[in-house]
Amino acid sequence: MKMNRHIFMLMAACAAVVLPSSCRKEAASGERFRVEVMNRYTPVKDQGRTQACWAYAMLAAIETEHIMRGDSVHLSPSYAVRQHLAEGFRRRYLSGGAEAVSARGTAMTLIRTIMARGIVAYDACHGGEDANAVVLARKVERLATAAANRRVGLDRCERPLRRLLDESLGPEPRNVFMLGASYTPQEFARSVCAPGEYVALTSFTHHPFYTDFALEVPDNYGRDLFRNVPIDTLVGRMERAVRAGRGVCWEGDVSEPGFDFARGVARLPDGTPAAQADRQRAFERFDTTDDHCMAVVGLARDGRGRRYFVMKNSWGTDNPYGGLMYVAEDYVRLKTIAVVMSTQ
């Protein structure tokens, strides 16, 4: 049974949506930004110890995309993490213990998880943010290894897996109840994210531009394909998408000294080169690493006229911008690993 678009229209009154509050933002430190675009988004969350920025950020981008369309959805990262760990368990078991289990992933991990296992509303499944993802993944891995050694079959060995995930992440919803109707997570997901609706873009010169390749980062367990484009094209498409109110998920390096969550700002030292060759060199030397995902929700300029992408983080609201980050365009040019956005 497919959920029709008009059902999501009626959900607009049910899901919390954050509205742009002003055209100028000022931090306690004196940082001032003139906001050019601020799209609507659902409340900022805290991913805790789940290592699931990929789920929080990509779901936030999908939520902003639906708000732009006049729908309203508020989706569950905890459900996506649970399904990702369960899939890791199955891979570990069927490979005879060769495949590792991890709670980490990329933005495309979330898309693939939704396609395979569905999604549920946030209120139906949340509260697993306190779970230690490293410890939980190790427990899932040990459980799968022991089951593979006993050759008990998936049906039998998945029962203790469900108990473990229930204890750590809360019970798994079997249905989504909306406006008097019941849907499976897979049925619900078809109205949230259609097959082929999102495209992953990257920008590196060790593959030809305008070809697809499996991005060589550790968290791309599914060997998902990314479309390779010049960095000017990638940044231009990001800007156009944000100006059109579309959902965009950014994936990149946040281990730089210039990325400061406490101040709510990420920028490079003045004069740092950020051309195509510079980003390739930084990637090949492992100076640019695949650390974190955030949803892009706006555009702004500082007092010197430099452009910033405003990003919704998932580390809580304890910074001057309520959990948002102002990421300088040159930082984006040098430190982006990938972006995921709607193909529409």
Side-chain angles (χ1 to χ4, degrees):
M1 181 175 174
K2 184 176 180 180
M3 184 180 297
N4 294 324
R5 177 182 172 85
H6 75 275
I7 293 180
F8 276 125
M9 296 292 288
L10 292 173
M11 290 169 62
C14 304
V17 174
V18 176
L19 299 172
S21 58
S22 72
C23 63
R24 187 174 295 277
K25 298 286 185 179
E26 183 171 358
S29 63
E31 295 268 5
R32 294 178 67 108
F33 294 98
R34 178 172 57 83
V35 175
E36 296 180 343
V37 176
M38 186 67 78
N39 295 324
R40 292 183 293 172
Y41 53 89
T42 53
V44 172
K45 302 174 181 66
D46 190 340
Q47 69 185 60
R49 298 182 293 173
T50 63
Q51 294 189 325
C53 60
W54 53 271
Y56 282 80
M58 191 64 233
L59 288 176
I62 292 172
E63 290 163 351
T64 289
E65 179 76 18
H66 277 271
I67 294 168
M68 181 276 297
R69 299 177 189 175
D71 304 334
S72 187
V73 293
H74 196 190
L75 304 169
S76 171
S78 293
Y79 180 87
V81 171
R82 181 191 181 105
Q83 301 308 317
H84 178 56
L85 287 170
E87 180 57 30
F89 175 93
R90 286 184 281 271
R91 289 198 311 269
R92 178 79 172 183
Y93 176 86
L94 292 172
S95 68
E99 292 280 344
V101 178
S102 173
R104 295 178 62 90
T106 70
M108 289 304 291
T109 302
L110 186 279
I111 298 297
R112 183 162 32 82
T113 299
I114 283 184
M115 293 294 100
R117 299 291 167 181
I119 195 67
V120 302
Y122 179 80
D123 288 342
C125 183
H126 69 93
E129 294 83 0
D130 292 333
N132 186 318
V134 175
V135 172
L136 181 56
R138 287 175 182 166
K139 289 180 179 179
V140 171
E141 191 170 271
R142 287 197 297 267
L143 197 61
T145 302
N149 290 338
R150 297 196 308 272
R151 303 184 181 186
V152 298
L154 279 173
D155 285 344
R156 285 184 58 192
C157 68
E158 285 190 339
R159 287 196 288 272
L161 172 67
R162 284 194 293 271
R163 288 196 295 270
L164 171 63
L165 295 178
D166 284 349
E167 291 169 0
S168 302
L169 302 174
E172 177 183 10
R174 299 296 183 181
N175 296 92
V176 178
F177 298 96
M178 195 71 60
L179 302 175
S182 175
Y183 308 92
T184 67
Q186 289 82 0
E187 289 168 342
F188 185 70
R190 285 199 290 272
S191 290
V192 169
C193 180
E197 185 174 346
Y198 288 88
V199 61
L201 303 177
T202 192
S203 181
F204 293 109
T205 56
H206 64 283
H207 289 277
F209 287 139
Y210 304 106
T211 62
D212 298 335
F213 72 97
L215 189 57
E216 303 96 333
V217 292
D219 291 340
N220 190 15
Y221 302 107
R223 305 294 291 168
D224 294 307
L225 298 179
F226 292 69
R227 172 57 56 94
N228 199 29
V229 299
I231 190 61
D232 288 346
T233 300
L234 185 149
V235 173
R237 289 189 62 174
M238 282 181 67
E239 180 185 348
R240 289 193 296 273
V242 173
R243 290 191 182 280
R246 315 309 295 258
V248 178
C249 182
W250 177 87
E251 187 164 346
D253 186 347
V254 300
S255 58
E256 299 299 313
F259 188 98
D260 190 338
F261 177 72
R263 293 177 59 204
V265 175
R267 60 167 67 97
L268 300 174
D270 287 346
T272 302
Q276 188 82 57
D278 302 307
R279 60 176 280 106
Q280 185 69 30
R281 189 178 306 110
F283 182 69
E284 292 182 6
R285 293 178 178 177
F286 308 109
D287 294 328
T288 293
T289 50
D290 186 24
D291 300 333
H292 192 46
C293 295
M294 298 185 288
V296 188
V297 296
L299 297 168
R301 292 188 184 272
D302 65 11
R304 295 165 58 182
R306 297 176 298 185
R307 173 168 291 142
Y308 289 71
F309 287 89
V310 187
M311 302 194 190
K312 175 188 175 186
N313 205 351
S314 54
W315 294 350
T317 59
D318 192 18
N319 80 357
Y321 307 109
L324 300 182
M325 290 291 302
Y326 284 71
V327 183
E329 182 177 332
D330 61 349
Y331 192 103
V332 169
R333 286 181 173 275
L334 186 64
K335 293 299 176 178
T336 295
I337 294 291
V339 297
V340 179
M341 64 182 71
S342 172
T343 58
Q344 299 182 13

